[in-house]
Amino acid sequence: MARIRVKDLLIRTYIGFNPEELVNKQDVVINLEIEVDIPAEALESDEPDGIYDYKLITKRIIAFVQEGRFKLLEALTKNLLQLIMEDERVRHAKVEVDKPHALRFAESVSFEMEAQR
């Protein structure tokens, strides 16, 4: 079992339900933790055959977030977790989404969810 972490993925999207949030994109910061099995053959041969492609899932996440509109941080987080879990090789995944400056005196507000098989 291997753990892949993607840290501080910064993406602009529509997030929130206040009038200004519906017309202005905002930053979200996404952190992912994905547990997958890595085939022994890939480790021995140093070839990518059969491995989980973290670049591909990151590109899918970026496209999904950039093209979407979300009222709730919770819904965005849930949808990202479902996107990751579509791949049967994923044994466990954790997604944390931060919304910087969502509260006046806080650096950010975040929501985290996880799933496993």
Side-chain angles (χ1 to χ4, degrees):
M1 184 74 67
R3 184 172 293 133
I4 299 165
R5 289 190 177 101
V6 177
K7 300 178 182 181
D8 300 330
L9 184 61
L10 179 64
I11 307 172
R12 292 190 62 72
T13 192
Y14 294 100
I15 182 82
F17 49 84
N18 293 321
E20 67 276 2
E21 294 173 320
L22 297 173
V23 295
N24 297 310
K25 283 189 171 187
Q26 300 175 71
D27 291 337
V28 291
V29 180
I30 300 170
N31 287 284
L32 311 171
E33 187 173 294
I34 303 168
E35 290 184 13
V36 296
D37 290 324
I38 298 179
E41 301 81 30
L43 294 174
E44 291 172 17
S45 67
D46 195 22
E47 292 295 332
D49 299 329
I51 65 162
Y52 182 80
D53 189 343
Y54 57 83
K55 185 176 180 180
L56 179 62
I57 191 62
T58 302
K59 284 183 175 184
R60 289 184 65 202
I61 287 170
I62 291 168
F64 179 80
V65 174
Q66 284 181 333
E67 295 167 9
R69 287 183 172 266
F70 312 94
K71 290 181 182 175
L72 300 175
L73 197 57
E74 295 85 343
L76 171 57
T77 306
K78 178 193 73 93
N79 288 329
L80 293 177
L81 186 60
Q82 287 177 332
L83 187 66
I84 293 167
M85 294 301 291
E86 285 176 1
D87 191 313
E88 292 294 324
R89 295 173 292 181
V90 176
R91 299 288 166 235
H92 177 263
K94 185 188 314 186
V95 176
E96 179 183 23
V97 181
D98 282 83
K99 183 178 176 184
H101 313 295
L103 295 174
R104 184 174 175 196
F105 296 108
E107 185 175 320
S108 71
V109 171
S110 71
F111 192 77
E112 181 178 284
M113 294 181 78
E114 58 187 292
Q116 64 185 24
R117 296 190 207 289

